[in-house]
Amino acid sequence: MTARWRPVLAPAVHLRHDRVRGTDLLLLPERVVVLEGSAGAVLRWCDGKREVPQIVRELARRYPGAPVADEVPEFLDRMREEGWLR
């Protein structure tokens, strides 16, 4: 199911970079989620045009040696379960 999925942020969710904190944030109605590590970089690829394997390939190219093949699909699935991606 994840392979054909083209993730995109849910309509009420916005990704922003907080320069003061030096981190990415997800802005939701009445809630802010502080993202850790490369979560923001992964979510920036979720534009509704790319399928998960395309996102994984691009991130693997940009971050050689990082375990993106295992971790990125799991992360995206968790974000979908939270309702932050559709």
Side-chain angles (χ1 to χ4, degrees):
M1 181 163 75
T2 300
R4 303 287 309 172
W5 176 39
R6 292 180 175 166
V8 64
L9 290 175
V13 178
H14 302 281
L15 177 63
R16 297 287 185 265
H17 183 74
D18 183 336
R19 287 183 287 181
V20 174
R21 293 183 183 130
T23 191
D24 291 312
L25 307 171
L26 278 184
L27 307 178
L28 303 114
E30 301 183 27
R31 185 172 176 192
V32 174
V33 177
V34 178
L35 299 173
E36 297 179 3
S38 59
V42 172
L43 291 175
R44 281 187 179 78
W45 287 95
C46 297
D47 58 6
K49 298 174 185 171
R50 297 175 183 94
E51 293 179 351
V52 173
Q54 293 169 297
I55 294 169
V56 168
R57 279 193 303 274
E58 184 59 35
L59 290 168
R61 186 181 69 75
R62 289 177 182 251
Y63 305 102
V68 297
D70 295 325
E71 293 180 4
V72 169
E74 290 176 10
F75 169 72
L76 295 177
D77 282 339
R78 283 195 317 272
M79 296 295 101
R80 180 167 48 180
E81 288 171 9
E82 291 289 339
W84 302 339
L85 287 176
R86 57 179 178 97

